[in-house]
């Protein structure tokens, strides 16, 4: 088996959430396009993914989610056919409901989340994917009142739910992978270590995002090395450095992240070291070359893929 077969490259559709790519003024314009011309909207995305050279797709939030795709093409099977005829595969699907749920300790809230995740899992399985990437709940802004500590007891409650969610997805033939989203409870090294300790490795896996780990102030290579056996998919992305500790964490936090992300190979990630780590730990699977809202997504993804093939795959071999 060659290195290119052991590592498969894809892209998260958040990469296409830039107004410049669509020729509109702002994000509202993107939403309007997706609603007014859904078929042209989705065809443009899938054609762009194909043109970039990667072979995998990770679905994300609306207007790039599984419900939108199914509605646009008429059925799960027809969407899968659109991927297939372009030589594409559904690598994974991002599930954002947990991050948006806030306090989900109530049994009714947890049941609702599991129900949504199970429906998503059925879609993923029907399209040939078996990985659901899940964003964790956000942390609280430093100094906010009343203070909410992410301590052992709180982590235990969340871990218990993640175990049950992972078990429910397993029944559907899909694996749960926690994404290291900066400013969530699963990004900084101590937080990742805590939740990895408390969750069952049979049902809760990991999707490290190199850039998010860096802007959370941690080292992605050290962190992934400690938990390499839990990694089933990874987001390969670069970042300029850590964000300030007192960054405001609210509904605009993802917008605040974007200035800290940068082109592949232009930031703090030790890519040769990353390739050696994955090689030495025997990682095989999807590498998602994700860029948040890239103005030239096709060019940026293609450039990243070229760097990977020329500089990193020789190391990985």
């Amino acid at each position: 088996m060659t290195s290119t077969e052991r590592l498969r490259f894809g892209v998260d559709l958040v990469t296409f959430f830039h107004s410049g790519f669509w020729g509109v003024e702002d994000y509202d314009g993107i939403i309007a396009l997706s609603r007014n011309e859904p078929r042209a909207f989705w065809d443009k995305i899938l054609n762009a993914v194909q043109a970039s050279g990667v072979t995998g797709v990770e679905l994300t939030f609306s207007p790039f989610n599984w419900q939108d795709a199914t509605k646009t093409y008429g059925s799960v099977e027809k969407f899968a056919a659109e991927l297939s005829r372009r030589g594409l595969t559904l690598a994974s699907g991002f599930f954002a409901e947990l991050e948006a749920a806030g306090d989900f300790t109530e049994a009714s809230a947890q049941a609702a989340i599991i129900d949504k995740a199970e429906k998503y899992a059925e879609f993923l399985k029907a399209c040939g994917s078996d990985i659901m990437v899940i964003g964790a709940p956000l942390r609280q802004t430093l100094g906010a009142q009343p203070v909410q500590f992410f301590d052992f007891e709180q982590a235990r409650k969340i871990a218990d739910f993640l175990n049950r969610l992972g078990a429910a997805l397993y029944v559907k033939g899909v694996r749960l992978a926690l994404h290291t989203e900066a400013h969530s409870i699963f990004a900084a090294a101590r937080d990742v270590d805590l939740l990895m300790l408390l969750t069952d490795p049979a049902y809760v896996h990991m999707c490290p995002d190199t850039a998010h780990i860096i802007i959370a102030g941690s080292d992605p290579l050290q962190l992934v090395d400690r938990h390499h056996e839990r990694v089933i998919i990874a987001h390969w992305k670069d970042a300029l450095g850590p964000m300030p500790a007192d960054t405001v964490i609210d509904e605009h936090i993802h917008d605040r992240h974007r200035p800290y992300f940068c082109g592949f190979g232009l930031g703090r990630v030790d890519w040769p070291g990353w390739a050696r780590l994955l090689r030495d730990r025997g990682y095989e699977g999807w590498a998602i070359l994700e860029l948040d809202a890239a103005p030239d997504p096709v060019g940026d993804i293609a450039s990243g893929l070229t760097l990977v093939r020329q500089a990193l795959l020789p190391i990985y071999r």
Side-chain angles (χ1 to χ4, degrees), residues 93-273:
F94 189 87
F95 183 73
E97 298 291 336
L98 202 61
E99 181 183 315
D103 182 6
F104 55 87
T105 55
E106 291 294 325
S108 59
Q110 294 186 1
I113 292 170
I114 290 175
D115 181 63
K116 290 178 181 179
E118 287 178 331
K119 289 182 173 65
Y120 195 2
E122 290 168 359
F123 166 88
L124 292 173
K125 196 65 178 174
C127 285
S129 172
D130 72 341
I131 298 174
M132 186 183 298
V133 179
I134 294 183
L138 291 174
R139 266 186 163 274
Q140 185 186 46
T141 302
L142 185 64
Q145 297 294 327
V147 177
Q148 297 172 358
F149 298 113
F150 182 53
D151 56 13
F152 186 89
E153 185 57 28
Q154 182 68 4
R156 188 194 61 76
K157 293 177 183 177
I158 293 170
D160 174 71
F161 173 69
L162 291 172
N163 286 336
R164 290 186 289 109
L165 177 59
L169 295 181
Y170 181 82
V171 172
K172 301 291 185 180
V174 170
R175 295 174 291 169
L176 179 160
L178 273 179
H179 179 257
T180 55
E181 185 81 25
H183 298 101
S184 77
I185 60 169
F186 192 74
R190 173 270 190 186
D191 293 352
V192 172
D193 290 343
L194 183 57
L195 276 178
M196 287 287 93
L197 172 68
L198 293 173
T199 51
D200 189 328
Y203 296 105
V204 180
H205 309 279
M206 180 180 177
C207 172
D209 184 308
T210 48
H212 278 278
I213 294 170
I214 283 176
I215 67 176
S218 296
D219 183 326
L221 274 67
Q222 291 181 7
L223 188 57
V224 171
D225 195 19
R226 286 203 296 278
H227 304 289
H228 63 89
E229 73 282 358
R230 308 284 287 269
V231 177
I232 60 171
I233 188 170
H235 287 182
W236 293 29
K237 187 161 62 175
D238 222 332
L240 298 172
M243 293 180 70
D246 60 353
T247 295
V248 175
I249 303 172
D250 58 16
E251 68 273 16
H252 302 296
I253 186 59
H254 302 297
D255 295 330
R256 295 190 180 99
H257 288 164
R258 285 180 181 148
Y260 288 83
F261 298 138
C262 62
F264 199 83
L266 301 177
R268 294 279 192 89
V269 177
D270 173 7
W271 290 112

Side-chain angles (χ1 to χ4, degrees), residues 266-317:
L266 301 177
R268 294 279 192 89
V269 177
D270 173 7
W271 290 112
W274 178 251
R276 284 191 293 271
L277 172 64
L278 298 184
R279 176 198 67 196
D280 294 346
R281 296 297 179 246
Y283 175 78
E284 298 180 6
W286 285 105
I288 304 298
L289 303 181
E290 181 191 351
L291 299 162
D292 274 34
D296 177 23
V298 175
D300 288 346
I301 297 165
S303 296
L305 196 57
T306 297
L307 186 151
V308 167
R309 286 172 172 160
Q310 292 181 353
L312 302 185
L313 286 185
I315 296 173
Y316 181 80
R317 293 189 186 103

